[in-house]
Amino acid sequence: MNDAFDIRNMESHIEVHKFRGGAIVGATLLALMFQAFVPVYFAKAAMIDLPLLITIYFGLSRRNPSTGLLLGMIIGLLQDSLSGPTVPLGLYGIAKTVIGYVASSIGARLDTEHPAARFALTIIFFGLHQGIVLLTRRILLAQSSVWFTVHLAAAAVVNAIVAVFLFALLDHLRKS
Amino acid sequence: MAGIPSRHKSIFLLTGVVLLQVLLLALQIKRDSEGRLIRVWTVGAFSPFERAGNHGIGRLRETWRHYFALQNTSRENEELRHENDELKMQVNQLQSKAVEADRLALLLNFHKSRENVPMLGARVIATSAGTASATIVLDRGSKDHIKKNMGVITPEGVVGKVVEVFDNTSEVLLLTDKDSGVGAMLGNSRVQSPVGGAGEPLLVMKYVANDDVVNVGERVVTSGMDKIFPRDLPIGTITDIKPGNPFKSIRIRPSANLERLEEVIVLLTLQPLQLNQETETAKPSASAAGKPVGETAKSPVSGGTAAKPAPAPASSAPVPAPANAAAAVKPE
């Protein structure tokens, strides 16, 4: 089998990318590590949701909804575990499961290699992620949260900018 | 999944996985201890890397600073530049050590001025992995006699309380977290009301009646009614007051810099504490300066009392109620 192959007959121009051994696991663990201890030194870094960006990237690249949602679930549950006891297991898990699924589904239909497309998609996914977390908080946990703040909007843009560079970096982990 | 068209398999899988996690959420809400095992595993697996990362970042920052110190010199005076670089490096190192020594001296003096209160110094090695909560991870755990619900402070003010304890690490819920709360009172009028987090840098004081006189800039201190923090520890300063119905809306800037915590003090007791009023200030005093430190940087303020933790709490923190706001902190 080729390392990069066509996905379906009807969408023969869309490629499914394969990655070097351990690339997904390594990138996931690094993202979680970054998220946990870099804000100790740079408080503003907490604005960047690297686990979300990793979920989006591998979802868009692998283009398989099943593996996308399972990867999202694992990343989300690990993030829940590292977010302290006030965050119940499943809060980020549910959100990232859905993001992994949607990203994989979109990745199978659209060309998501262009930086502008990646920028726009990351903003959309960030908003969707926040929306799911908010809905989970409000409906399942009965906690109040605001829908929109300037801080959230800024975080969406910052994450999208980081995503453009991060995704380009992660492209090097693909098997050529 | 025989019989299900392959293109629908992923939708079924998505539905199943989300439902499983909803069930997991429901189980946690029902039983507080549910899911603890996976937290223990995950935190246990990540904390060695976080410790290593913490150490590595520190070394990297030091090297980075020295590199820039070398870049700031002129090519025209090689000897002077060389000498200047060395001096700069020495100054940087000494400054870095002096700042750390000042910080540790502050912690030590703080401890010495409250020798009746058992305390333990701890370093912050990680923060919450998401923005949904405001927590930090300390490099001390149950092996160091830290227990759940112990108070965490700095010489500047209250930080939060311990909410989870593992063997070598513990998690602290910061005051700025939405679920956080502390028994507080106004510095001048002594009006009591709980102070809690709002998920943002400023804190909120909720149950102060419109009739009470409150001024911007007024200090807010602990009331001691939550049985976690001793009375009169600084919490913050009032920055904004708005009239409300039936209570004022008061916002407070925390005294401790909760966004850049590096070392903290854990109050190693679950019994109500009393501080010596005359030794309240955290500035180093002459008597403290003359005494030997005798502690490593890892545990700047741990004293003999640290090895003897207090017995179980006399009572848990009460639930807040506007009618009896004086004794209230938020429930877990």
Side-chain angles (χ1 to χ4, degrees):
Chain A
M1 185 192 291
N2 290 334
D3 291 335
F5 59 91
D6 296 339
I7 182 169
R8 295 180 183 115
N9 293 337
M10 55 188 289
E11 293 155 353
S12 58
H13 59 288
I14 301 287
E15 285 182 328
V16 172
H17 297 286
K18 292 241 171 185
F19 292 89
R20 296 172 202 272
I24 297 178
V25 175
T28 300
L29 293 179
L30 274 177
L32 287 164
M33 286 285 299
F34 175 95
Q35 205 68 30
F37 83 86
V38 170
V40 172
Y41 302 98
F42 310 103
K44 298 286 180 199
M47 187 185 276
I48 301 168
D49 193 342
L50 270 190
L52 173 66
L53 300 185
I54 294 293
T55 306
I56 295 170
Y57 176 78
F58 287 113
L60 290 174
S61 300
R62 296 281 299 174
R63 291 162 180 162
N64 182 326
S66 299
T67 54
L69 73 90
L70 287 175
L71 179 66
M73 180 193 73
I74 292 167
I75 292 176
L77 287 177
L78 286 173
Q79 193 177 4
D80 286 327
S81 296
L82 291 169
S83 293
T86 56
V87 175
L89 294 175
L91 181 68
Y92 287 120
I94 292 172
K96 287 192 168 57
T97 301
V98 176
I99 293 294
Y101 175 80
V102 178
S104 306
S105 304
I106 288 177
R109 288 167 176 75
L110 298 174
D111 179 14
T112 55
E113 302 295 301
H114 195 277
R118 287 173 166 182
F119 182 86
L121 280 171
T122 305
I123 288 186
I124 293 167
F125 282 129
F126 186 88
L128 179 62
H129 181 266
Q130 288 300 323
I132 296 167
V133 169
L134 261 169
L135 279 176
T136 311
R137 276 184 172 281
R138 281 172 174 247
I139 296 171
L140 294 177
L141 306 177
Q143 295 175 349
S144 61
S145 293
V146 289
W147 284 101
F148 177 82
T149 61
V150 177
H151 179 80
L152 273 179
V157 174
V158 169
N159 276 279
I161 293 168
V162 172
V164 170
F165 294 101
L166 178 70
F167 290 2
L169 196 68
L170 290 171
D171 285 343
H172 293 292
L173 297 178
R174 289 174 178 172
K175 284 181 180 174
S176 54
Chain B
M1 294 223 263
I4 300 171
S6 68
R7 61 183 179 149
H8 292 318
K9 275 184 183 174
S10 58
I11 295 176
F12 278 99
L13 187 60
L14 173 70
T15 310
V17 166
V18 170
L19 281 177
L20 268 177
Q21 291 180 83
V22 170
L23 196 65
L24 181 64
L25 275 175
L27 285 171
Q28 290 172 87
I29 295 162
K30 210 171 173 182
R31 287 177 295 194
D32 191 38
S33 61
E34 203 69 37
R36 176 169 159 73
L37 196 58
I38 194 169
R39 282 198 199 283
V40 172
W41 289 344
T42 312
V43 172
F46 273 82
S47 60
F49 296 107
E50 286 165 357
R51 281 167 181 269
N54 183 281
H55 181 72
I57 288 276
R59 297 290 292 269
L60 203 65
R61 286 168 82 196
E62 208 168 300
T63 310
W64 190 254
R65 281 181 197 147
H66 293 169
Y67 173 75
F68 273 107
L70 288 169
Q71 287 292 306
N72 290 336
T73 55
S74 166
R75 278 181 171 275
E76 294 172 0
N77 283 312
E78 283 294 330
E79 284 184 21
L80 277 175
R81 188 183 70 166
H82 186 67
E83 190 180 343
N84 196 29
D85 284 346
E86 283 186 351
L87 287 171
K88 276 186 179 177
M89 281 175 66
Q90 283 178 14
V91 167
N92 274 347
Q93 284 177 335
L94 289 172
Q95 278 179 342
S96 174
K97 283 179 181 169
V99 168
E100 187 174 10
D102 283 350
R103 224 168 43 224
L104 297 181
L106 205 63
L107 293 175
L108 180 66
N109 183 62
F110 184 82
H111 177 238
K112 284 196 181 297
S113 67
R114 294 160 172 80
E115 283 184 334
N116 57 328
V117 181
M119 301 177 188
L120 178 72
R123 281 194 191 280
V124 179
I125 59 169
T127 62
S128 166
T131 51
S133 66
T135 56
I136 52 172
V137 181
L138 306 183
D139 66 343
R140 302 286 199 161
S142 57
K143 285 182 179 172
D144 304 295
H145 309 291
I146 292 181
K147 291 189 173 70
K148 206 171 171 179
N149 283 332
M150 284 179 168
V152 179
I153 58 176
T154 67
E156 288 80 31
V158 176
V159 169
K161 69 169 183 176
V162 177
V163 286
E164 200 76 70
V165 183
F166 305 98
D167 284 350
N168 295 306
T169 57
S170 51
E171 288 182 340
V172 176
L173 187 69
L174 297 180
L175 265 186
T176 46
D177 189 279
K178 284 178 192 167
D179 295 329
S180 196
V182 59
M185 61 184 174
L186 296 170
N188 297 341
S189 63
R190 315 302 275 181
V191 171
Q192 297 195 2
S193 164
V195 165
E200 54 183 67
L202 295 184
L203 308 173
V204 178
M205 196 173 206
K206 290 178 180 171
Y207 304 123
V208 176
N210 280 318
D211 299 341
D212 292 320
V213 178
V214 187
N215 298 312
V216 171
E218 189 171 349
R219 286 174 67 242
V220 178
V221 296
T222 51
S223 66
M225 301 300 283
D226 53 20
K227 311 281 196 281
I228 293 175
F229 296 101
R231 195 182 173 92
D232 282 325
L233 276 176
I235 293 174
T237 311
I238 295 175
T239 57
D240 185 40
I241 306 165
K242 284 180 185 159
N245 187 16
F247 301 109
K248 289 178 193 288
S249 168
I250 300 175
R251 292 161 78 82
I252 298 162
R253 182 173 302 286
S255 299
N257 187 353
L258 300 180
E259 291 185 343
R260 284 199 63 82
L261 290 167
E262 291 189 36
E263 291 105 9
V264 295
I265 298 167
V266 183
L267 301 174
L268 283 180
T269 178
L270 291 167
Q271 288 186 322
L273 295 165
Q274 291 293 328
L275 290 186
N276 298 329
Q277 295 298 316
E278 68 273 14
T279 57
E280 194 173 317
T281 54
K283 291 174 184 172
S285 64
S287 60
K291 293 179 182 176
V293 174
E295 288 291 341
T296 63
K298 190 183 178 189
S299 55
V301 296
S302 63
T305 47
K308 296 174 187 172
S315 64
S316 58
V319 175
N324 187 20
V329 295
K330 287 187 176 181
E332 287 181 50

